Amino acid sequence: MNPAGITLLEILDLPVLKDAKVISGEKGLNRVVRYIDIMEVPDVTGWLREGELLLTTAYSIRHEPALLPKLVRQLAEADAAALAIKPERFLHEMPKAMIQMSNTFDLPIIQLPKGIPYIDITHAVMEKIINKQSALLRKSEEIYKMLTTLVLENSGIQAVADNVSRLLNSSIWLIDQTGEIIVGSPVDAHFHSSPNPRFWEIRVDKEMVGKLIVDKEKLDELDQVCIEQARLVFSLELMRRKTAVDTEKRLRGNFVDELLSGLPLSKQEIMDKGSQLGLKPDAVWEVALIEGENEDISQQIDKLNGLLSKESQKSYIKSHIHWKGESLVLLLGSANQETAHNAWQEKLSPFIDQFNKIRIGFGEKAHLWEIQKSYVQAKKAIVFGLRLNNQKRIFTFEEIEMFDLFLEASESVEIDKFIEKRIGKLYQYDKENGTDLLKTLYYYIYTRGSLLETAKHLYLHRNSIKYRMDKIRELFDIHTENSQESLIYFFCISYYFFKNNE
C-alpha cells in the first residue's frame, strides 16, 4: 500500500498557499500528494514518483522552455500529483503546449505565490502528510489490535469478518482456492462474482489459500489500511485452522494405521479415539483400496478429496484418505447398513472409470473396531479379482468370497487331490509344452462359451481360441456343454490359479 497522503485541494487550503493559483489541469485537484520535491536539474527521468508534488522555478530549463510540456508528460506517466512553478524570475510566460498537456492529463499546474520560500511550503505540506500518516498508523494499530484480539480469544472467523465488514461499511467474503466461501459478512449477503472483482490474496506459509473480496467501488486510505490488517488477521486465523486441521489429519492417519495394522486396541479405546478424531463409531464403515501407478493416483488425489468431502458433508460422516505403502486406502463411512449397500461403489465407479491404470477393491461393511478385516478383504478383492478377470478395474470381496473360502478350507480338506483329478493332466500339459490351455478353458467358461470374448481376454484371434478348445476336448475329454461340469471346472481352475498365485 502507498504511504498516506493528502489531496491537492487540502494543500491549497494551507495558509502558506492561500495565494497560489491553479493555472490548468483543474480536474486533477483530487490527486493525492505523498511526497514533495524540488527540481534542480533539467533531466528528471527516473526520479519522479507516484504522488509527487514537484516544485520548480524552471531555472534549469530557462533556455529551453519547450521542455516544459515534456516535463508535464513525464509527471503524468509517473502518476505524480502536480507541478508547482514560481514563474516570475525565469519563466515569464507559461507555454501554451504545457497548458494543453496539463489539461489533457488532468495534471494540475499551480503558480506559487511570490516571496514564499520553498522551505515554508515543504515544511507545511510534509507536516500535514506526516500528521495524516501518524493518524492512519494509530488507526491501523487499533484495527490490528481489535482483530487479533478476536483471533486470540478464539471468537471465530465470522466475528473477524463481521468487524471488517463494519469497518469498511461493505459486504465482504473470504473464499478458498476453489471459489468456495469460507466466511461472508453480513451472513445473508448474496455473493456475486463480478468479471473484475476487487480482491486481495490471503497467504499462509507463502501459499495462496484464499482471497478477500470487498464489494465496494471506491476505497479511501483508511479502507486500504483496514484491508491490509484484515488480510494479516485472516492469514493468522487460516493458519491457526490449517495447523489444527493438519494436526487432526496426522493424528487420524496414525489412528487409521493402528486400525489397519490390527494393533491390540480394545473396542472402547477405538470408539473413544474415533469419536475424538471425527470417525463416528456408530457409522457403518468399509475399506476401499486403490492401486495403480503412484503418479496417476497422486495426480488425482485432490479430485478424490473433493469427492469424499462433498459426500461427507451430505451424510455428516467424515471419510478418510490414507496412504499405506504404494496403495491409497479409503476409509468410507455411511449412516447405516441400508445406505451403505453399494453406495460408495456407485459414487466412486465414475471416478475410477476415468483412469485406465487405476483399480479399486472394496471390503465388506464393518464396525470401526473391525475395519482391519475389511482392509484385508479389499486387498484380496483386487488380487483374486484380477486373476478372475484381468480387464476389470473395480472389484468387491463379495465376488471372490467363495474362492477365499476354498483356500481356507484347503488346509483341513483334501481339495488338492480333487483338483488334481479334474485338471491335473491339463495344467501338466501346459507346463511341459509351454501352452496356455488352462487359462483358455477358464475364460471360455467365464464368458459362457464366447470365442470372441475369450479372445479379448487373452489378446488372441477368435480362430486361435477355437483351435485351443478343440484341442482341449480332443486331448482331455473335457466338455463344457453341461453346466454342472462347467461350474466344477471353473472353480477347480480358479482354485488352482489362487493357490499358485497365477
Side-chain angles (χ1 to χ4, degrees):
M1 186 182 72
N2 285 322
I6 54 176
T7 65
L8 289 167
L9 287 172
E10 291 176 282
I11 286 177
L12 292 172
D13 280 339
L14 293 170
V16 71
L17 292 175
K18 62 183 178 64
D19 295 325
K21 296 178 181 177
V22 179
I23 302 301
S24 58
E26 292 87 350
K27 292 181 180 179
L29 289 175
N30 283 319
R31 286 176 178 260
V32 175
V33 177
R34 296 186 174 92
Y35 313 98
I36 187 166
D37 206 349
I38 299 169
M39 180 178 170
E40 301 288 357
V41 294
D43 187 8
V44 293
T45 304
W47 293 95
L48 298 175
R49 293 173 290 181
E50 179 185 349
E52 185 167 61
L53 172 60
L54 188 65
L55 309 183
T56 185
T57 59
Y59 174 78
S60 60
I61 54 175
R62 64 189 183 281
H63 301 304
E64 296 181 86
L67 291 176
L68 282 167
K70 179 183 176 183
L71 175 61
V72 173
R73 176 182 287 276
Q74 288 177 310
L75 287 165
E77 289 173 351
D79 202 16
L83 177 65
I85 301 179
K86 280 188 175 184
E88 66 272 7
R89 293 183 63 186
F90 306 108
L91 187 66
H92 303 296
E93 184 178 356
M94 302 281 187
K96 290 183 180 179
M98 181 182 72
I99 301 297
Q100 290 173 349
M101 192 71 69
S102 166
N103 288 327
T104 298
F105 290 108
D106 293 333
L107 187 133
I109 296 175
I110 300 169
Q111 182 174 324
L112 297 173
K114 295 179 181 180
I116 303 294
Y118 279 155
I119 187 68
D120 291 351
I121 298 173
T122 57
H123 182 272
V125 171
M126 289 308 300
E127 182 180 36
K128 195 168 183 67
I129 290 174
I130 290 170
N131 286 341
K132 185 163 187 179
Q133 288 178 344
S134 298
L136 281 173
L137 183 59
R138 287 194 300 273
K139 190 65 179 176
S140 175
E141 289 175 349
E142 290 173 10
I143 293 171
Y144 177 72
K145 185 177 180 180
M146 178 189 68
L147 296 179
T148 50
T149 299
L150 293 172
V151 174
L152 293 173
E153 291 178 350
N154 202 23
S155 301
I157 200 168
Q158 185 64 57
V160 175
D162 290 340
N163 277 272
V164 172
S165 175
R166 178 179 56 79
L167 289 167
L168 292 173
N169 192 26
S170 165
S171 298
I172 69 161
W173 298 272
L174 183 63
I175 64 173
D176 63 19
Q177 306 98 309
T178 65
E180 291 293 319
I181 297 174
I182 299 173
V183 67
S185 184
V187 177
D188 58 352
H190 177 64
F191 175 67
H192 52 89
S193 181
S194 60
N196 299 299
R198 297 181 69 91
F199 69 86
W200 292 261
E201 291 185 352
I202 307 295
R203 293 185 171 271
V204 172
D205 294 334
K206 297 181 181 179
E207 178 186 351
M208 200 275 283
V209 296
K211 294 177 183 178
L212 172 62
I213 297 177
V214 178
D215 189 17
K216 194 172 185 178
E217 286 293 326
K218 293 183 180 180
L219 300 173
D220 59 27
E221 288 173 325
L222 186 57
D223 289 337
Q224 293 179 47
V225 165
C226 180
I227 287 170
E228 287 300 313
Q229 298 300 351
R231 288 176 65 196
L232 178 58
V233 173
F234 277 131
S235 295
L236 291 173
E237 176 64 18
L238 292 181
M239 181 181 291
R240 186 184 67 81
R241 283 184 160 204
K242 183 177 183 296
T243 302
V245 168
D246 288 348
T247 301
E248 183 182 343
K249 192 178 291 184
R250 177 174 53 80
L251 292 173
R252 193 185 302 121
N254 293 340
F255 177 55
V256 171
D257 242 342
E258 293 174 353
L259 293 177
L260 299 181
S261 301
L263 292 183
L265 300 174
S266 70
K267 176 180 173 181
Q268 191 59 48
E269 281 181 293
I270 293 174
M271 291 178 67
D272 293 342
K273 212 166 184 179
S275 296
Q276 292 170 4
L277 297 174
L279 300 175
K280 292 185 176 180
D282 57 347
V284 175
W285 295 95
E286 62 187 295
V287 167
L289 191 67
I290 296 180
E291 293 184 348
E293 295 184 11
N294 271 359
E295 186 177 343
D296 291 336
I297 300 175
S298 298
Q299 288 175 352
Q300 308 306 327
I301 196 76
D302 288 339
K303 289 183 180 178
L304 198 55
N305 262 316
L307 174 61
L308 261 62
S309 295
K310 186 178 179 181
E311 294 299 330
S312 295
Q313 288 172 5
K314 290 180 183 177
S315 63
Y316 302 101
I317 297 173
K318 188 181 294 183
S319 295
H320 181 75
I321 296 180
H322 182 75
W323 280 103
K324 193 165 181 65
E326 296 182 351
S327 301
L328 197 62
V329 178
L330 311 184
L331 190 57
L332 307 170
S334 303
N336 53 58
Q337 196 69 37
E338 290 181 6
T339 57
H341 182 67
N342 292 336
W344 278 110
Q345 293 176 42
E346 294 171 2
K347 291 166 186 173
L348 289 171
S349 290
F351 174 82
I352 298 298
D353 286 341
Q354 297 175 54
F355 315 106
N356 294 328
K357 298 180 181 179
I358 293 177
R359 52 191 174 271
I360 186 170
F362 289 89
E364 291 185 327
K365 282 67 175 176
H367 295 296
L368 190 61
W369 51 91
E370 299 171 326
I371 208 65
Q372 188 208 17
K373 184 179 178 182
S374 183
Y375 170 60
V376 172
Q377 290 171 343
K379 288 201 292 185
K380 288 181 177 180
I382 293 179
V383 173
F384 293 170
L386 281 172
R387 295 176 196 170
L388 287 172
N389 186 346
N390 57 9
Q391 292 186 341
K392 280 184 65 174
R393 290 186 296 114
I394 299 173
F395 308 97
T396 65
F397 180 73
E398 187 177 18
E399 294 169 332
I400 58 91
E401 186 175 10
M402 182 180 296
F403 305 111
D404 186 46
L405 289 172
F406 277 178
L407 288 176
E408 290 184 7
S410 66
E411 297 178 8
S412 56
V413 178
E414 294 184 345
I415 294 180
D416 289 340
K417 288 185 178 180
F418 178 75
I419 302 300
E420 171 73 24
K421 179 181 176 182
R422 286 288 182 168
I423 61 171
K425 292 180 181 179
L426 185 56
Y427 65 67
Q428 193 62 37
Y429 182 89
D430 278 345
K431 284 183 178 180
E432 293 174 357
N433 296 277
T435 55
D436 217 356
L437 299 182
L438 192 65
K439 191 170 285 186
T440 303
L441 178 58
Y442 171 81
Y443 281 113
Y444 184 79
I445 298 172
Y446 180 78
T447 60
R448 298 180 182 178
S450 171
L451 295 175
L452 185 60
E453 291 300 314
T454 304
K456 286 182 181 178
H457 280 285
L458 296 175
Y459 305 103
L460 294 171
H461 192 273
R462 178 179 181 277
N463 291 341
S464 297
I465 302 300
K466 184 178 185 306
Y467 170 78
R468 287 186 179 186
M469 288 305 303
D470 289 343
K471 196 165 189 177
I472 289 170
R473 294 184 181 102
E474 177 187 342
L475 293 178
F476 306 104
D477 194 30
I478 292 176
H479 300 278
T480 58
E481 289 78 11
N482 184 295
S483 58
Q484 184 175 342
E485 284 293 305
S486 293
L487 187 61
I488 292 172
Y489 281 118
F490 182 74
F491 283 118
C492 285
I493 299 172
S494 299
Y495 174 85
Y496 175 81
F497 285 161
F498 293 155
K499 188 74 179 283
N500 294 278
N501 196 29
E502 294 186 9

